């Protein structure tokens, strides 16, 4: 059965690019959901069965780190794996993301192969 | 011109991997705040130990071609998709430059990307900043990537 992924990014362009890369990555995703910031992502996670989340860090309203922290405090969704996908992949930021439960990080620019490699280990 | 090489490396990697376009760099120069005509600029600010900005300036024709390739669909006017795509290009370029200048990621903060466009406008320089601009060409079209940096002691 196909998996469900949630893409969280304030850029509509980047959500399209990530969505296209997911299709090219060869992972069987039956549903690709989108959210434009952390708060919207929390709402989507609460209303849908999601297998994995790909989230940007630098977003308005609720950024990726705030999203991770808020998600970790909601029992029903706290165990859904999140991979950060961002231009911000400095060691300090990624360490902070992992302290809030992020399972990995993909740096923009990225390739479908890198997405396959990173998500394949989680699904 | 170390920063010029950083710009070339980051730009070629992003265009090659994300847009499937091979872009050729030209000779770097200092832009002197020349006016931009019928263009769009994606801009990301840098703050912290090193201040400045990263900007990508494209003619409308180049921006339409790049966005069409980026999204894999025809784009015929400067609309929200084009502004978002050029802003996101600036964001990725700034992130790549930041990862070179600040490997830990904690000394430089990046702003959210923004895009400005128009028939005739200018982008002001940061006072006291070291600036370098690299021109690129692809398929008979061109664009500029500009980096301004000022390290406060």
């Amino acid at each position: 059965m196909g998996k469900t992924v949630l893409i969280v990014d304030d850029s509509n362009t980047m959500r399209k690019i990530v969505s296209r890369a997911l299709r090219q990555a060869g992972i069987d995703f039956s549903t690709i959901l989108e959210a434009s910031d952390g708060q919207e992502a929390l709402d989507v996670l609460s209303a849908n069965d999601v297998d994995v989340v790909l989230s940007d860090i630098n977003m308005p309203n609720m950024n990726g780190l705030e999203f991770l922290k808020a998600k970790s405090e909601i029992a029903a969704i706290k165990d859904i794996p999140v991979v950060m996908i961002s231009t911000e992949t400095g060691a300090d930021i990624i360490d902070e993301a992992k302290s809030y439960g992020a399972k990995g990080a993909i740096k923009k620019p990225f390739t479908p192969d890198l997405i396959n490699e990173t998500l394949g280990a989680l699904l | 011109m170390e920063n010029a090489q950083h710009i070339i490396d980051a730009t070629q990697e992003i265009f090659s991997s994300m847009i499937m376009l091979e872009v050729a760099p030209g000779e770097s120069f200092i832009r002197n705040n020349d006016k931009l005509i019928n263009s769009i600029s994606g801009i990301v600010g840098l703050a912290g130990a090193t201040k400045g900005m990263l900007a990508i300036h494209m003619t409308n024709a180049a921006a339409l071609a790049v966005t069409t390739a980026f999204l894999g669909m025809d784009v015929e006017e400067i609309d929200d998709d084009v502004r978002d795509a050029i802003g996101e290009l600036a964001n990725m370029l700034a992130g790549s430059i930041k990862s070179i200048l600040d490997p830990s990621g904690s000394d430089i903060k990046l702003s959210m990307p923004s895009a400005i466009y128009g028939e005739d406008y200018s982008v002001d320089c940061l006072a006291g900043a070291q600036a370098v601009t690299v021109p690129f060409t692809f398929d008979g079209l061109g664009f500029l990537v500009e980096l301004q940096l000022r390290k406060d002691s």
Side-chain angles (χ1 to χ4, degrees):
Chain A
M1 185 174 167
K3 305 287 186 182
T4 297
V5 60
L6 169 61
I7 302 167
V8 190
D9 200 308
D10 59 305
S11 165
N12 180 47
T13 298
M14 194 47 63
R15 294 198 303 271
K16 288 178 183 172
I17 299 299
V18 174
S19 182
R20 185 174 68 194
L22 284 170
R23 289 193 295 272
Q24 293 171 340
I27 302 173
D28 182 18
F29 286 110
S30 59
T31 307
I32 298 178
L33 303 171
E34 298 185 9
S36 60
D37 63 34
Q39 183 58 57
E40 197 177 320
L42 292 174
D43 295 341
V44 172
L45 289 180
S46 296
N48 297 272
D49 289 328
V50 173
D51 294 291
V52 66
V53 181
L54 281 169
S55 177
D56 190 15
I57 293 176
N58 198 9
M59 296 182 288
N61 303 324
M62 179 185 282
N63 69 34
L65 297 177
E66 294 165 339
F67 160 64
L68 282 171
K69 190 175 180 186
K71 172 181 161 293
S72 72
E73 295 167 354
I74 302 172
I77 61 174
K78 70 181 177 64
D79 293 329
I80 299 170
V82 179
V83 172
M84 311 316 288
I85 184 162
S86 178
T87 58
E88 295 271 13
T89 53
D92 291 356
I93 293 171
I94 296 310
D95 285 348
E96 188 175 358
K98 287 184 175 175
S99 76
Y100 293 138
K103 299 299 183 188
I106 295 171
K107 185 179 185 305
K108 299 174 187 174
F110 52 81
T111 62
D113 286 347
L114 182 57
I115 287 182
N116 187 331
E117 183 181 316
T118 307
L119 296 190
L122 296 173
L123 295 170
Chain B
M1 287 296 235
E2 197 176 30
N3 286 337
Q5 192 59 50
H6 294 333
I7 290 173
I8 291 168
D9 293 344
T11 303
Q12 289 187 315
E13 182 194 10
I14 288 165
F15 273 75
S16 173
S17 63
M18 300 293 288
I19 311 179
M20 312 305 164
L21 277 178
E22 300 304 322
V23 296
E27 200 71 33
S28 64
F29 64 102
I30 297 172
R31 202 174 60 83
N32 286 331
N33 201 20
D34 299 331
K35 285 190 174 181
L36 296 154
I37 307 296
N38 292 322
S39 297
I40 178 167
S41 298
I43 301 170
V44 171
L46 286 73
T50 300
K51 297 176 173 57
M53 72 156 197
L54 182 292
I56 181 166
H57 309 292
M58 288 194 171
T59 61
N60 289 347
L64 293 174
V66 165
T67 305
T68 293
F70 204 4
L71 296 179
M73 63 183 207
D74 286 337
V75 180
E76 295 175 350
E77 59 180 358
I78 303 297
D79 58 11
D80 285 348
D81 281 336
V82 178
R83 290 189 285 274
D84 191 43
I86 303 307
E88 195 55 38
L89 275 176
N91 193 34
M92 286 190 285
L93 285 164
S96 292
I97 298 292
K98 175 185 168 175
S99 70
I100 296 167
L101 300 175
D102 175 23
S104 75
S106 58
D107 292 337
I108 299 174
K109 304 295 181 195
L110 300 181
S111 75
M112 302 293 295
S114 58
I116 59 173
Y117 64 103
E119 294 178 0
D120 183 346
Y121 64 93
S122 60
V123 177
D124 277 344
C125 298
L126 181 70
Q130 286 190 322
V132 63
T133 298
V134 180
F136 292 86
T137 55
F138 67 96
D139 297 342
L141 298 167
F143 64 91
L144 307 173
V145 178
E146 178 178 17
L147 179 64
Q148 297 182 14
L149 296 174
R150 187 182 74 201
K151 196 173 178 87
D152 290 340
S153 54

